């Protein structure tokens, strides 16, 4: 199939590209890329100036679009969110005009707001932050655009993705750096409950969703397992055979957080995560000699 990919050189995209080797890929990015897989064509450009790219994308005639790009993270300011929202909306409208049959776009588990416990896609959110509300608005707008054109629209709500190549300020690399320097990791609430999913598992979820005929709708993409932040730090301490003190010691804050109900993606796309947390953390730690 012909797949148009945005964000292919981002955190998830770099792990996704090798899994798409049997497809023809047209990728857009702002960097000057010198090496690509044989099945990939590349356009250097910016989604905010889509008009300059339209003819090349039309010529490619994509059957599928995987839209991962979101410029500026971790800048979640209103101006950055609106710039990304507008660029994504223009892309959606364009894809509707050129006859793309399936569109996958990246959402976020933050769309569930302050809800706690196991999250199902039909749950009604409470008190979303700005970034999540903009993402949620984009999902609603995309659904409106694509439903009128009989285009399969897949919205993937990613939970807490970790793995090689993630931002240095994320939990695993920041713990690794602190422990390597003999310091106690700075964790505000070790009892916070998150759903941690290894990045390659998240990439395979995208592949399963876009390759399954006639799939559309909102899908949670996570491990489905509730895990305390402090437990992740404890695993890292054990893997590194560290002697620094566990930051969870003496912590009295209450447990809170949420995790994914995976029944929809399991039933409709035959996907389930394969990499256990301890194994994923070990592979992530092994990568830091190259990435940090």
């Amino acid at each position: 199939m012909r797949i148009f990919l945005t964000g292919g050189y981002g955190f998830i995209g770099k792990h996704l590209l090798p899994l798409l080797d049997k497809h023809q890929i047209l990728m857009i990015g702002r960097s000057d890329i010198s090496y690509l897989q044989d099945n990939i064509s590349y356009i250097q450009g910016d989604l905010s100036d889509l008009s300059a790219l339209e003819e090349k994308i039309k010529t490619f005639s994509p059957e599928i679009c995987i839209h991962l790009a979101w410029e500026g993270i971790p800048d979640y300011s209103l101006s950055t969110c609106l710039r990304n929202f507008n660029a994504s909306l223009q892309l959606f409208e364009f894809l509707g005009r050129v006859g793309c049959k399936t569109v996958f776009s990246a959402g976020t588990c933050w769309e569930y707001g302050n809800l706690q416990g196991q999250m199902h896609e039909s749950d009604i959110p409470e008190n979303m932050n700005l970034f999540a509300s903009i993402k949620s608005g984009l999902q609603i707008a995309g659904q409106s655009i694509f439903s009128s054109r009989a285009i399969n629209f897949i919205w993937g709500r990613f939970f807490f993705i970790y793995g090689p190549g993630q931002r240095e300020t994320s939990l695993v690399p920041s713990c690794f750096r602190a422990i390597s320097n003999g310091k106690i990791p700075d964790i505000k609430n070790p009892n916070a409950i998150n759903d941690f999913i290894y990045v390659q598992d998240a990439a395979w979820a995208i592949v399963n969703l876009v390759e399954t005929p006639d799939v559309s709708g909102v899908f949670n993409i996570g491990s489905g397992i509730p895990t305390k932040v402090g437990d992740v730090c404890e695993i890292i301490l054990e893997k590194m055979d560290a002697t620094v003190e566990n930051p969870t010691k003496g912590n009295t804050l209450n447990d809170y957080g949420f995790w994914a109900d995976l029944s929809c993606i399991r039933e409709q796309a035959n996907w389930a995560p394969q990499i256990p947390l301890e194994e994923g953390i070990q592979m992530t730690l092994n990568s830091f000699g190259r990435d940090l």
Side-chain angles (χ1 to χ4, degrees):
M1 290 183 286
R2 296 182 304 279
I3 299 177
F4 176 54
L5 174 64
T6 77
Y9 263 64
F11 174 38
I12 301 173
K14 286 181 179 178
H15 293 268
L16 174 65
L17 277 172
L19 309 183
L20 298 175
D21 58 347
K22 65 181 180 181
H23 302 288
Q24 290 301 308
I25 310 298
L26 177 63
M27 187 168 69
I28 180 176
R30 291 176 295 167
S31 302
D32 184 10
I33 305 298
S34 57
Y35 171 76
L36 292 168
Q37 297 167 204
D38 291 341
N39 64 316
I40 300 173
S41 300
Y42 183 75
I43 306 174
Q44 187 171 2
D46 197 312
L47 285 178
S48 62
D49 187 20
L50 189 60
S51 60
L53 311 169
E54 284 193 4
E55 287 306 315
K56 290 182 179 179
I57 301 172
K58 282 181 181 178
T59 300
F60 180 72
S61 187
E63 299 167 271
I64 295 172
C65 174
I66 299 175
H67 178 41
L68 301 177
W70 193 271
E71 179 188 350
I73 290 176
D75 176 2
Y76 300 112
S77 65
L78 178 61
S79 59
T80 299
C81 286
L82 286 178
R83 183 169 65 251
N84 281 282
F85 178 88
N86 290 332
S88 297
L89 206 58
Q90 290 177 29
L91 174 64
F92 288 175
E93 194 277 331
F94 170 71
L95 292 170
R97 286 191 282 110
V98 299
C100 188
K101 301 301 182 184
T102 298
V103 176
F104 174 96
S105 189
T108 171
C109 64
W110 290 356
E111 292 172 62
Y112 291 112
N114 291 337
L115 295 180
Q116 297 189 44
Q118 187 180 56
M119 296 293 102
H120 188 274
E121 290 85 349
S122 62
D123 288 332
I124 299 173
E126 295 179 358
N127 301 320
M128 285 184 284
N129 62 26
L130 176 63
F131 172 66
S133 65
I134 295 290
K135 280 283 192 179
S136 182
L138 181 62
Q139 186 267 323
I140 294 169
Q143 185 60 50
S144 177
I145 291 170
F146 295 130
S147 61
S148 63
R149 294 178 168 92
I151 295 171
N152 297 320
F153 182 42
I154 304 167
W155 186 260
R157 282 187 183 149
F158 291 111
F159 280 68
F160 294 87
I161 304 176
Y162 71 97
Q166 68 184 134
R167 293 196 311 274
E168 294 183 11
T169 55
S170 300
L171 177 62
V172 177
S174 62
C175 284
F176 171 81
R177 188 180 301 103
I179 295 167
S180 296
N181 292 325
K183 298 179 180 178
I184 299 173
D186 182 17
I187 298 178
K188 294 179 181 178
N189 184 6
N191 291 334
I193 295 172
N194 290 337
D195 181 329
F196 296 95
I197 176 172
Y198 190 65
V199 63
Q200 191 173 43
D201 272 336
W204 272 118
I206 298 172
V207 175
N208 279 41
L209 285 164
V210 301
E211 288 186 349
T212 303
D214 301 322
V215 165
S216 63
V218 179
F219 294 90
N220 289 334
I221 300 176
S223 69
I225 300 173
T227 303
K228 291 183 180 180
V229 171
D231 291 341
V232 172
C233 185
E234 179 65 29
I235 293 171
I236 297 170
L237 286 165
E238 292 175 359
K239 297 291 185 185
M240 295 180 66
D241 196 22
T243 57
V244 301
E245 185 178 350
N246 187 333
T248 65
K249 213 169 189 181
N251 186 276
T252 59
L253 293 174
N254 293 328
D255 300 355
Y256 71 90
F258 54 75
W259 59 96
D261 179 334
L262 299 179
S263 55
C264 284
I265 192 169
R266 187 180 295 113
E267 293 167 6
Q268 296 190 47
N270 192 31
W271 174 86
Q274 301 297 311
I275 301 172
L277 182 61
E278 288 205 19
E279 181 181 341
I281 288 176
Q282 183 64 70
M283 290 191 289
T284 306
L285 295 176
N286 292 344
S287 75
F288 286 159
R290 301 186 302 272
D291 295 340
L292 292 185

